[in-house]
Amino acid sequence: MNQKQKKELREHQSTRQLMGITQLTEHGVKTAKGELVFFMLRPDNLSVLSPEGVQGLVNALADLLRTTPSVRLLALDSRESFQANKLYYQRRLEEETEPKVRELLERDATHLDAIQSSTASAREFALVYPVDKDSPTDPRRTEKSLLDRGFHVRLAGEQDVKRLLAVYYQQDVSAEFFPDFDGERSVSANG
């Protein structure tokens, strides 16, 4: 298959095919390599914990990752980036000669900095467990085991999985609901 044929094939593939996902499941995704189940991990507020408490959490997570080699930790930055907007304001400030307009541009740039600072800790964490075909694990049992180890965790729902994929692949942190098909909301509203 030559380069042009490969490009044409990619253009006709669905988003799921391009990502290697064959199916979305109730709590994860199926790929050609198997099923992955996601658990949403809520981090503790480390700033209010003692050094011993922080060390205990680090040890618990390290122990989990060490004793369960198939588990993966997914850490996503789920906040919007204002870098393009900040560069625009910076460029406009360099060009602008009118003092009142410059003042407004500076205020807008300061406002963006404040928003970005207030969302600096907006991270999402997920534990990703592969489901072994030979010995399938019960996701609810795994969730209970994680809770028993002291983690604040819950089994991801379908919308959680879609949001994680959107943040991972597109950095889309603004959507609240993800339909199964593009344009589904428009068709539903008109039908």
Side-chain angles (χ1 to χ4, degrees):
M1 188 179 288
N2 65 32
Q3 193 73 348
K4 184 178 178 182
Q5 290 171 325
K6 287 180 183 179
K7 183 180 178 189
E8 286 177 9
L9 179 63
R10 275 194 312 270
E11 288 175 355
H12 290 90
Q13 288 182 316
S14 70
T15 304
R16 286 185 189 176
Q17 289 170 326
L18 290 169
M19 291 189 298
I21 295 172
T22 57
Q23 177 185 354
L24 287 177
T25 64
E26 186 177 5
H27 305 293
V29 296
K30 284 188 180 178
T31 69
K33 295 180 180 180
E35 184 177 354
L36 300 172
V37 176
F38 294 83
F39 294 87
M40 304 306 296
L41 182 62
R42 190 186 79 226
D44 288 309
N45 185 352
L46 299 179
S47 63
V48 298
L49 292 177
S50 68
E52 295 80 20
V54 172
Q55 187 63 46
L57 290 172
V58 169
N59 289 341
L61 185 57
D63 184 48
L64 172 70
L65 296 173
R66 187 175 34 258
T67 59
T68 317
S70 59
V71 71
R72 297 180 203 125
L73 179 64
L74 180 64
L76 299 172
D77 186 1
S78 57
R79 68 182 175 100
E80 292 189 61
S81 172
F82 299 106
Q83 193 59 36
N85 294 28
K86 289 166 68 172
L87 290 173
Y88 169 78
Y89 284 127
Q90 185 178 6
R91 191 178 71 246
R92 284 286 290 121
L93 275 167
E94 291 169 2
E95 298 168 355
E96 187 58 54
T97 58
E98 182 63 40
K100 293 288 185 187
V101 175
R102 286 183 59 80
E103 181 183 342
L104 291 173
L105 289 169
E106 287 171 354
R107 282 186 190 175
D108 284 346
T110 302
H111 179 66
L112 284 181
D113 285 339
I115 292 172
Q116 199 157 12
S117 294
S118 69
T119 61
S121 62
R123 306 283 191 265
E124 283 193 274
F125 300 94
L127 294 172
V128 185
Y129 277 79
V131 175
D132 188 2
K133 294 175 187 167
D134 299 330
S135 58
T137 56
D138 177 16
R140 295 289 176 194
R141 190 172 294 162
T142 304
E143 179 182 31
K144 182 174 179 348
S145 171
L146 291 168
L147 288 168
D148 290 345
R149 285 182 143 176
F151 294 102
H152 303 288
V153 68
R154 67 177 172 77
L155 196 52
E158 186 179 337
Q159 287 297 312
D160 292 319
V161 173
K162 289 178 180 180
R163 188 180 69 256
L164 288 171
L165 293 172
V167 171
Y168 185 81
Y169 285 104
Q170 282 186 289
Q171 285 73 47
D172 180 0
V173 296
S174 58
E176 303 237 349
F177 176 80
F178 296 94
D180 289 329
F181 302 98
D182 286 341
E184 181 178 333
R185 214 180 285 171
S186 299
V187 173
S188 299
N190 293 332

